[in-house]
Amino acid sequence: GGSGGGGGGNRGGSLSGTVTSNTQTGTAMGNFDVSSPETTNSNGGVVTAVPETLIPQPDVDYFTQGTGKIGGFSDISNVVWAQKAIVAMSAVGIINGKSETQFCPDDNITRAEFVKLLIGMLKYAGKIDIGGAECSFNDVAADAWYYEAVAAAVSNGIVTGMSETEFAPDANITRQDMAVMLSRAVKAAKLATADGAELIFNDEAEIAGYAADAVNQMTKAGIINGFEDGCFLPEANATRAQAAVMLYRLAGGE
């Protein structure tokens, strides 16, 4: 299993660092191994749920383009742990840079951006129906670039908004809300996920009640990682690179 933000490590305070649990030796929340049909859960049982590979693995040529670019981007050399995820999803049009050559991996990701990526991945994989979906949030205009994605997420039970009338598209998404959306997406799209060690975080009490089950499910699946100090930091935000890794893992990426 990998560690850190997706395989490389990314220590040093990343929101997707590695946590060691007493229920499992070593890395408790590394990348799940999609090549193995069996995953032992914390109760010692064996779960035969192999995450389906929903997007192609990136062509190795993306990593050897020269001119300092990786997958066409000139600014992802320092996020080695996220390169494969970014390249794989950009190659099939699920994720884009903020410009032709700039991915801006360290920028926080907004609620609208994350929903757009999540729905885009499920749509690419043919796992979700987005036709004719509508939503009635006051702050989601019908002509907004993210309207279709938010509407599809609402109709498929993936998002419910900050309230009945507000979605807060431009707010930076929190880690616990990412977990909730990812967990609901797994259910809506009937995706298989790994079932690894259950973790008790040092800041468990800070995780909102509505997000507790989702955080548990997504960390056991290795899709969202905690910090090396044993905390989950539910209210913290996540970067574009970290979001890319989470979605790549959800799509069965190694």
Side-chain angles (χ1 to χ4, degrees):
S3 61
N10 188 34
R11 305 288 197 267
S14 162
L15 296 185
S16 47
T18 302
V19 174
T20 301
S21 163
N22 60 11
T23 58
Q24 180 177 328
T25 303
T27 303
M29 292 191 297
N31 232 344
F32 46 76
D33 182 0
V34 296
S35 65
S36 170
E38 295 185 341
T39 313
T40 303
N41 66 21
S42 55
N43 297 321
V46 174
V47 179
T48 54
V50 184
E52 187 180 353
T53 302
L54 304 178
I55 60 176
Q57 295 292 297
D59 190 307
V60 292
D61 290 345
Y62 278 100
F63 299 95
T64 54
Q65 289 182 337
T67 68
K69 291 184 181 177
I70 299 168
F73 298 115
S74 60
D75 62 347
I76 64 171
S77 59
N78 291 332
V79 287
V80 176
W81 49 273
Q83 287 172 359
K84 194 173 185 181
I86 293 168
V87 170
M89 292 197 296
S90 64
V92 295
I94 295 172
I95 196 168
N96 298 310
K98 289 196 169 183
S99 73
E100 193 171 321
T101 60
Q102 298 287 303
F103 183 76
C104 303
D106 297 322
D107 285 4
N108 280 337
I109 190 163
T110 67
R111 288 169 54 81
E113 287 171 338
F114 187 69
V115 169
K116 175 80 170 172
L117 295 181
L118 177 57
I119 296 299
M121 187 273 285
L122 296 176
K123 179 183 177 183
Y124 174 84
K127 293 291 185 178
I128 200 168
D129 179 18
I130 67 170
E134 296 181 354
C135 69
S136 56
F137 294 121
N138 294 339
D139 55 358
V140 178
D143 61 352
W145 56 267
Y146 48 80
Y147 177 86
E148 183 183 62
V150 173
V154 169
S155 68
N156 284 277
I158 295 171
V159 303
T160 56
M162 304 294 279
S163 70
E164 288 186 10
T165 58
E166 181 188 18
F167 177 69
D170 298 324
N172 291 329
I173 193 169
T174 63
R175 285 167 49 78
Q176 65 184 2
D177 282 356
M178 292 175 110
V180 169
M181 291 183 193
L182 289 165
S183 176
R184 289 174 177 165
V186 165
K187 183 177 180 180
K190 298 179 174 60
L191 303 180
T193 58
D195 188 19
E198 185 167 350
L199 297 165
I200 304 299
F201 293 103
N202 294 338
D203 56 353
E204 196 89 11
E206 296 176 24
I207 299 172
Y210 70 84
D213 286 346
V215 169
N216 182 47
Q217 180 188 359
M218 292 299 96
T219 53
K220 284 173 68 177
I223 292 171
I224 299 183
N225 290 347
F227 275 111
E228 289 183 351
D229 64 1
C231 291
F232 181 74
L233 299 187
E235 295 284 353
N237 301 128
T239 65
R240 285 166 51 80
Q242 289 160 354
V245 169
M246 292 177 200
L247 292 172
Y248 184 59
R249 288 172 171 172
L250 187 69
E254 296 183 64

